[in-house]
Amino acid sequence: VTSRGGEDRSKRSAGIVPYGLLSPGILWLLLFFLVPLVTLGRTSLSVKASRFDPNDIRLTWELSNYTNAIGDYSEQFLRSFVYAGTATVACILIGYPIAYVIAFRGGRYRNVLLGLVVVPFFTSFLIRTLAWVNVLSDQGPVISVINYLNLSGALESLGIMSDGRLLSTHTAVVGGLTYNFLPFMILPIYVSLEKIDIGLADAAKDLYNNGWQAFRKVVLPLSLPGLFAGSLLTFIPASGDFVNAKFLGGPRNTMIGSVIQDRFLVQGDLPTAAALSFMLMIIITIGTLIYARMLGTDDLI
Amino acid sequence: MSALAAAGVVGPGLLAACGSDDESAGGPSNALWHDNWPGYMDEETLDLFRKESGLDFKYTEGFNDNNEYFAKVQADLAAKKSIGPDIITPTFWLAARLIDLGWVQEVPFDNIPNAANLVPSLRKPSWDPEGRFSLPYTSGMTGIAYNIGATGRELTSTADLFDPKLKGKVGMLLEMRDTVGLTMLLTGQDPATAAFADATDAFSMIEEAKDSGQIRAFTGNDYMDDLATGNYAACIAWSGDVLQLSLDDPNIRFVIPEEGGMQWSDVMVIPQGAKNADNTAAWMNYLYEPENAARVTSYIGYNSPVEGVQAILAAGDEAQQAQSKSQLLFPDAATLDRLSVFANLDPEAEAAFDERFSEITGA
């Protein structure tokens, strides 16, 4: 079947039609990706001629924008990747079992369960994050329960709480990232699990694998594309996020997104903001390529 | 272009001055838009003014932080485009910057006879030497706010903010001149004549407090929520905000530190390119009518720049009489003596201060 399909496709590939069909997409990419990318690159190599006029920037191939940015903000870069990485792992640990249950044990409730995963999206991202500010606040319900159970000492020694609070700590920021990006992990994993023929796992068991071995050797490898997609959809936006750090974190939890936001929107320092954005993009691209190779899913890119 | 704009302001202004009280007849448009800080206006005054003037008056609370606001409008102002509002209310140092850059136009004082009620101490400030481009909206004091339930004691000094017992419960402001100014007073330096080198100790103190986790957050006007909900035990705060909060929670108190506090004013300016500059006089004149100023002051809890407000409140109801005796609303000479206004920084010094401060606030 595949070879016949292949023949058909090779015969059809000639002519102008495919390019015509592609042109809206190409135009879109040119206008909204390539042009901004070049502008961003240009700005990142420019110098701001006037402190107060953001339009007055001059291209001087200012490589020091990059070296200064690395020198000043390597801490925030590192912190962003640690936070985003932790949140991604937490999303996998929470999201995979949920996706698994929905795909294999959901039965006729499958659509309802999927709906429940998506329902929180009906409320704005910002409102959901701000709600956590109230939930975690010093006089809020979570701290009350922790104090009632006398757990704060234990949680502090684990580094989860500090100074008797959860709000304005790294725990709150990572927790917020995990919460906000969890559906982006569940949905792609679900899609790849749902396509797996459950008979394959049964066959593995028939061949003397126990349940865990069947999962590890058959189901998990087949769901890797979903896991890969979910990790990217979580890690990439999470590492550039600033909303969670702003509302749930303190001045010691700033992420690179916070710095870019501040440089761009508060200080009006476009060249530094552009250099930071560019570096973030390059680091993430390289990271993604390495990750794809490690998981053996490079054909996806 | 700017000469034409100036002529445009003066021309209809003079005509209206010769005409009736109905200022809306002076301009072709019936609209007016004032962008201000949150908690800076009572609904009653807005309603009364809308009725009296007949203007289609839009009032918004777009200010949370001066730098943030400046970043929002600077591209348009630099390109000589309208930013929307006809009156904006930056803090004095930002107003100074806007005047220097030539991004604001003259206030139509010919049509604001009530501007004569401006208190003498705020006339012709060093950054607007002829007083042509700005009209103060309100003044205020920066000191320490605290929740006595959380601190367990009265606070008296900025040093209390660095007390390890309050670790993680202390807030500071993103307003550099307030946070650094107060800390400079603590380190024995005078913010009124600040040079960058004088602030070295203050900056290190703030930086150490941030690194140790003493400071929970640097915020703009949104600090009020943290104080009200108890996330903060103490913070650097603006007098009127605390006065408003203390009505709901008497545990929330305000003190001008014994080393001294800061004083500032937020001033009305008319951005270049404002579409309804002709209508601004009606509103400014209304605000400078002592009766109206008293109503606004009574609600917002800041220091009115209009003379005669204290006498009107003293003749009012019981609550207003109490307000007329409040040291927060009408500080006496001894209190005023303990307040400093941050120096008018030249652009290089300002850049150095801002850069160092943003390095610490970490964002």
Side-chain angles (χ1 to χ4, degrees):
Chain A
V1 177
T2 29
S3 76
R4 194 156 20 108
E7 276 169 23
D8 284 347
R9 280 178 194 173
S10 69
K11 274 180 201 158
R12 284 178 192 178
S13 69
I16 197 167
V17 177
Y19 296 102
L21 290 173
L22 267 177
S23 61
I26 290 174
L27 205 67
W28 178 273
L29 271 181
L30 271 177
L31 260 179
F32 297 113
F33 182 70
L34 213 58
V35 172
L37 194 69
V38 171
T39 317
L40 189 72
R42 220 183 116 90
T43 309
S44 75
L45 292 168
S46 299
V47 65
K48 209 178 152 196
S50 141
R51 182 156 183 254
F52 300 131
D53 185 352
N55 309 317
D56 193 6
I57 49 173
R58 286 168 207 158
L59 182 64
T60 52
W61 300 100
E62 201 76 22
L63 280 169
S64 63
N65 284 343
Y66 283 85
T67 50
N68 290 344
I70 295 173
D72 292 344
Y73 301 112
S74 51
E75 188 190 332
Q76 281 87 345
F77 262 116
L78 196 68
R79 193 183 289 139
S80 299
F81 295 131
V82 171
Y83 285 5
T86 314
T88 306
V89 171
C91 280
I92 293 175
L93 293 179
I94 300 168
Y96 200 102
I98 294 176
Y100 188 91
V101 168
I102 298 177
F104 293 132
R105 304 268 186 276
R108 60 201 174 96
Y109 295 112
R110 222 185 231 193
N111 289 334
V112 177
L113 291 171
L114 268 185
L116 288 178
V117 170
V118 184
V119 156
F121 271 83
F122 296 167
T123 312
S124 120
F125 169 67
L126 203 60
I127 299 287
R128 280 180 286 127
T129 309
L130 283 170
W132 277 108
V133 174
N134 291 323
V135 173
L136 297 178
S137 83
D138 293 13
Q139 318 291 326
V142 176
I143 295 289
S144 305
V145 171
I146 287 174
N147 287 341
Y148 180 73
L149 298 173
N150 231 343
L151 283 174
S152 69
L155 289 174
E156 296 226 2
S157 57
L158 288 172
I160 291 175
M161 277 173 82
S162 48
D163 303 317
R165 67 186 150 90
L166 276 171
L167 194 60
S168 311
T169 65
H170 53 97
T171 314
V173 180
V174 172
L177 290 171
T178 307
Y179 166 77
N180 276 314
F181 292 106
L182 187 59
F184 294 101
M185 184 62 85
I186 295 177
L187 295 178
I189 295 180
Y190 167 79
V191 169
S192 60
L193 284 175
E194 197 243 341
K195 281 190 295 195
I196 298 174
D197 183 353
I198 195 71
L200 287 174
D202 293 339
K205 283 180 194 158
D206 286 346
L207 295 167
Y208 305 103
N209 273 315
N210 61 29
W212 167 247
Q213 285 169 321
F215 170 75
R216 199 173 57 83
K217 291 186 179 164
V218 178
V219 178
L220 184 61
L222 286 173
S223 67
L224 275 186
L227 198 67
F228 175 75
S231 307
L232 291 192
L233 288 176
T234 307
F235 183 81
I236 296 175
S239 51
D241 184 79
F242 72 92
V243 173
N244 287 283
K246 181 176 167 74
F247 293 117
L248 301 172
R252 290 188 298 170
N253 310 117
T254 45
M255 296 171 69
I256 199 65
S258 327
V259 177
I260 295 174
Q261 188 262 350
D262 181 68
R263 285 284 120 192
F264 192 77
L265 290 180
V266 182
Q267 311 295 336
D269 181 2
L270 267 53
T272 307
L276 287 167
S277 307
F278 225 87
M279 276 195 287
L280 183 63
M281 204 166 66
I282 291 167
I283 296 173
I284 285 179
T285 310
I286 295 173
T288 307
L289 291 174
I290 296 174
Y291 183 61
R293 185 126 316 165
M294 272 166 50
L295 274 187
T297 42
D298 5 354
D299 52 328
L300 273 176
I301 313 179
Chain B
M1 182 69 198
S2 69
L4 277 177
V9 172
V10 175
L14 285 171
L15 285 176
C18 305
S20 65
D21 286 338
D22 187 7
E23 274 92 349
S24 64
S29 153
N30 192 34
L32 179 64
W33 180 2
H34 183 183
D35 204 9
N36 210 345
W37 296 79
Y40 253 20
M41 180 52 60
D42 61 294
E43 284 299 323
E44 192 190 346
T45 300
L46 289 178
D47 288 344
L48 288 171
F49 173 70
R50 285 191 183 112
K51 261 183 219 135
E52 190 182 305
S53 68
L55 289 175
D56 178 16
F57 181 44
K58 178 171 170 186
Y59 180 87
T60 49
E61 301 183 335
F63 278 86
N64 178 53
D65 173 76
N66 279 303
N67 284 315
E68 213 174 278
Y69 197 86
F70 180 73
K72 199 163 75 178
V73 298
Q74 66 175 343
D76 280 344
L77 285 177
K80 310 262 179 235
K81 278 190 255 174
S82 161
I83 59 165
D86 305 301
I87 304 176
I88 57 174
T89 325
T91 301
F92 68 99
W93 60 265
L94 181 55
R97 182 190 289 174
L98 295 174
I99 293 171
D100 270 354
L101 291 166
W103 290 356
V104 292
Q105 44 185 299
E106 285 191 34
V107 174
F109 280 106
D110 290 341
N111 283 335
I112 314 176
N114 286 338
N117 297 329
L118 175 62
V119 295
S121 63
L122 291 174
R123 285 180 196 170
K124 303 186 176 172
S126 62
W127 42 268
D128 184 11
E130 289 168 56
R132 288 189 299 146
F133 293 96
S134 64
L135 187 61
Y137 180 80
T138 192
S139 296
M141 299 180 280
T142 307
I144 309 290
Y146 57 102
N147 187 327
I148 195 153
T151 58
R153 66 182 175 97
E154 303 279 0
L155 303 189
T156 55
S157 160
T158 306
D160 291 327
L161 294 181
F162 298 90
D163 179 355
K165 281 194 200 121
L166 299 182
K167 185 166 176 242
K169 291 270 196 188
V170 173
M172 288 194 175
L173 291 170
L174 279 172
E175 188 65 41
M176 188 277 288
R177 284 163 181 80
D178 288 328
T179 295
V180 176
L182 271 194
T183 316
M184 281 178 79
L185 288 166
L186 180 63
T187 61
Q189 299 288 343
D190 183 6
T193 56
F196 184 58
D198 299 336
T200 313
D201 291 345
F203 276 124
S204 328
M205 255 186 112
I206 299 168
E207 188 168 41
E208 275 165 36
K210 176 217 155 189
D211 289 341
S212 73
Q214 177 79 16
I215 297 170
R216 183 184 183 118
F218 293 93
T219 64
N221 217 134
D222 40 348
Y223 73 96
M224 286 173 79
D225 291 336
D226 286 304
L227 193 59
T229 56
N231 289 335
Y232 285 170
C235 63
I236 297 180
W238 294 314
S239 51
D241 289 351
V242 187
L243 210 63
Q244 285 181 32
L245 283 178
S246 64
L247 294 177
D248 295 329
D249 183 355
N251 277 339
I252 294 177
R253 299 180 185 182
F254 181 83
V255 63
I256 293 165
E258 55 198 17
E259 315 80 42
M262 299 301 293
Q263 190 183 28
W264 43 265
S265 43
D266 291 338
V267 302
M268 295 185 276
V269 293
I270 305 170
Q272 281 292 6
K275 292 205 176 72
N276 309 298
D278 297 339
N279 293 339
T280 57
W283 174 233
M284 291 185 179
N285 197 47
Y286 189 83
L287 287 174
Y288 267 70
E289 189 74 51
E291 283 288 339
N292 300 329
R295 190 183 327 105
V296 173
T297 304
S298 169
Y299 176 79
I300 73 175
Y302 281 103
N303 315 120
S304 180
V306 180
E307 268 191 292
V309 166
Q310 190 169 15
I312 291 172
L313 288 180
D317 62 31
E318 208 173 312
Q320 289 175 328
Q321 283 172 24
Q323 283 183 325
S324 74
K325 291 173 196 135
S326 160
Q327 277 299 307
L328 286 184
L329 275 176
F330 303 101
D332 55 23
T335 311
L336 287 174
D337 256 5
R338 291 165 55 214
L339 301 176
S340 310
V341 176
F342 207 95
N344 197 6
L345 299 171
D346 63 59
E348 289 80 36
E350 190 184 45
F353 269 97
D354 282 350
E355 193 54 39
R356 176 80 174 108
F357 189 61
S358 100
E359 196 183 296
I360 296 172
T361 54

